[in-house]
Amino acid sequence: MTDLDLTELTAVQLVDGYRKGVFSPVEVTRAALDRAEQIQPEVNAFVRLTGEEALDRARRAEERWRRGEPCGRLDGVPVTVKDILLTRGQPTLRGSLAVSPDGPWDEDAPSVARLREHGAVFLGKTTTPEYGWKGVTDSPLSGITRNPHDPARTAGGSSGGAAAAVALGAGPLALGTDGGGSVRIPASFCGVFGLKPTYGRVPLYPASAFGTLAHVGPITRDAADAALLLDVIGTPDARDWSALGPAPGSYTEALAGGVRGLRVAYSPSLGGQVAVRPAVATAVRRAVQRLAELGAFVAEVDPDFSDPVEAFHTLWFSGAARVVQHLRAGQRELLDPGLREIVGAGARYSALDYLAAVDVRMELGRRMGRFHEEYDLLVTPTLPITAFEAGAEVPKGSGHRRWTGWTPFTYPFNLTQQPAASVPAGTDADGLPIGLQLVAARHRDDLVLRTAHALQAPGPA
């Protein structure tokens, strides 16, 4: 046994401890499950916990480590899975009362399959808004997921349960999904690290009705754990026709490159398009100064695009309409009222409307492609605000109608399919976390991860 608080250790530290025999997968899993049970009544991060299955997998991992024969890079490491991703032997209800829990649930999503192959221990399924449709986490199925720093506030979404679980020590690794910011938003609000990889880097099956906006990505405490997780899940799967080929190298090995000489564009408000709270702006600017101290060439410059929210809405709302198209009238009455509204809007778009939105998307991609010929990285706030009241789609008195009104830094980079991450950048006067967003050109996930790793490293510049 050990006096360490095992719930505070990263996945990298856990694997090192298993290798050295300092602690065991069973000890770690029990600690993570205990923490999950402690936080659940107040924070509501889980749809279900799978304690017996987790302990069984941990015992088998412990025996493999005892023999010196781990089965993979995450053997015995606790992980949670957002209840959007198929997990063999468990219902995947997607936050909806309209989804039957009856099986068979006999298939893993690609990312879950890779985790299983590498010996990860599944603690349970984390909460999501219905079908992952919005940037906060509450649903008719599981209720409200709350912020780990202030339960009166939202954890963000749609991977809110995943981010809250990581922030509170209920497993160091979580799988989330991100169609408009759904990994980065809760990572920012909960004070953890979240990566939306380049589209296709992590295969997705079944295909999302939100199409090529939808990404699978890690939520972790730091970039090193995210790189390790991406090394595991970022491999091809034949079920995803749009998946990329093998990664060009190890993301873990790429962490050590540092930022010296990188060309960094800092855009505090996307050219004045976004009103950013002073505390957020100050924290992000301080982190940008840290990049300069570490040797990056930093310029305050804005990417050349206007807010593509209408095009995003056309694609997103149409996807929502497709998601529920198979439901009967009685089932539709069970849906989140906000989801019903955007489904109605999505059903009214024509094919020409959709293709016009695709044109906007392609032009945005062209502009960002040219932008990254000059700059390696774009830095923005992840969000212009910190977490607001739980149970609301938009902050009270904000004047916003939909969640996209307060997430203008995130959804543009789902349209462009670029890698983007939220990195913890401090807190405001209320102790609420602030996130900084790093964006790189498509396929340069390594740059995002190594820059985040440099920012999170302790010590002087």
Side-chain angles (χ1 to χ4, degrees):
M1 295 291 290
T2 175
D3 292 330
L4 289 171
D5 184 345
L6 299 175
T7 66
E8 292 184 356
L9 300 182
T10 67
V12 170
Q13 291 170 325
L14 291 179
V15 171
D16 184 58
Y18 296 160
R19 184 178 296 112
K20 295 174 179 175
V22 178
F23 40 74
S24 75
V26 172
E27 291 176 88
V28 169
T29 299
R30 283 181 175 147
L33 285 169
D34 286 347
R35 181 60 58 84
E37 290 171 354
Q38 290 166 9
I39 69 173
Q40 181 61 12
E42 183 170 50
V43 175
N44 188 30
F46 291 90
V47 178
R48 74 189 61 82
L49 290 166
T50 51
E52 286 306 313
E53 176 189 328
L55 287 169
D56 179 61
R57 288 184 63 82
R59 292 184 193 102
R60 285 182 276 159
E62 185 167 313
E63 176 59 23
R64 290 190 292 268
W65 279 107
R66 188 191 64 78
R67 297 195 310 265
E69 299 173 349
C71 72
R73 298 184 62 180
L74 295 173
D75 205 3
V77 176
V79 63
T80 63
V81 178
K82 184 179 179 180
D83 199 36
I84 289 287
L85 298 168
L86 292 180
T87 306
R88 194 173 72 224
Q90 300 178 34
T92 299
L93 301 180
R94 301 174 176 86
S96 182
L97 294 171
V99 177
S100 171
D102 298 337
W105 302 101
D106 54 4
E107 193 170 21
D108 284 329
S111 52
V112 177
R114 301 296 86 75
L115 287 173
R116 197 181 298 276
E117 291 163 4
H118 280 258
V121 172
F122 299 108
L123 298 179
K125 302 298 285 288
T126 54
T127 52
T128 176
E130 197 162 22
Y131 296 104
W133 79 272
K134 59 183 175 180
V136 294
T137 301
D138 58 74
S139 75
L141 178 70
S142 57
I144 297 171
T145 298
R146 299 178 179 275
N147 193 288
H149 298 268
D150 180 354
R153 300 175 187 259
T154 180
S158 62
S159 306
V166 169
L168 290 170
L173 304 178
L175 287 182
T177 63
D178 189 315
S182 290
V183 160
R184 292 159 288 155
I185 294 165
S188 181
F189 277 178
C190 293
V192 295
F193 181 83
L195 172 68
K196 178 187 75 67
T198 299
Y199 178 79
R201 171 49 53 213
V202 182
L204 180 60
Y205 171 85
S208 172
F210 296 109
T212 56
L213 296 172
H215 304 230
V216 177
I219 297 177
T220 60
R221 289 197 187 94
D222 61 24
D225 268 11
L228 173 60
L229 184 49
L230 189 59
D231 278 340
V232 169
I233 64 176
T235 57
D237 190 289
R239 294 172 293 174
D240 183 352
W241 66 272
S242 62
L244 299 176
S250 166
Y251 294 108
T252 297
E253 292 177 2
L255 290 173
V259 300
R260 186 166 299 279
L262 289 183
R263 303 162 299 168
V264 176
Y266 166 46
S267 178
S269 61
L270 295 180
Q273 296 182 80
V274 184
V276 179
R277 285 189 185 169
V280 174
T282 297
V284 173
R285 185 174 292 276
R286 188 181 303 121
V288 171
Q289 290 170 347
R290 169 75 174 160
L291 288 176
E293 291 165 2
L294 291 169
F297 297 110
V298 177
E300 188 167 323
V301 62
D302 302 304
D304 178 25
F305 66 80
S306 56
D307 187 358
V309 67
E310 293 306 322
F312 180 81
H313 281 170
T314 300
L315 300 173
W316 191 253
F317 295 176
S318 297
R322 178 61 176 163
V323 164
V324 303
Q325 189 176 28
H326 68 286
L327 297 181
R328 300 185 303 274
Q331 291 175 304
R332 292 190 178 219
E333 291 303 312
L334 301 174
L335 296 176
D336 180 328
L339 176 57
R340 286 204 305 270
E341 286 184 22
I342 71 163
V343 163
R348 291 190 291 271
Y349 290 123
S350 69
L352 289 178
D353 294 329
Y354 192 94
L355 290 173
V358 171
D359 286 343
V360 171
R361 180 181 196 177
M362 290 190 292
E363 173 59 18
L364 179 60
R366 183 194 70 80
R367 288 173 182 259
M368 288 308 302
R370 296 298 299 270
F371 183 82
H372 285 292
E373 290 182 326
E374 187 169 356
Y375 297 99
D376 299 301
L377 289 160
L378 170 66
V379 179
T380 73
T382 305
L383 298 167
I385 59 174
T386 52
F388 53 89
E389 60 271 21
E393 182 185 345
V394 301
K396 188 180 300 182
S398 66
H400 299 310
R401 172 65 178 153
R402 297 264 76 103
W403 61 272
T404 45
W406 52 270
T407 62
F409 293 112
T410 60
Y411 57 77
F413 305 109
N414 291 80
L415 290 166
T416 61
Q417 304 186 340
Q418 294 171 250
S422 182
V423 186
T427 57
D428 68 7
D430 295 321
L432 295 171
I434 293 166
L436 166 149
Q437 181 174 232
L438 296 170
V439 184
R442 292 173 72 239
H443 313 297
R444 293 312 308 268
D445 305 71
D446 59 318
L447 277 184
V448 171
L449 286 163
R450 93 182 205 216
T451 303
H453 184 63
L455 277 172
Q456 293 184 298

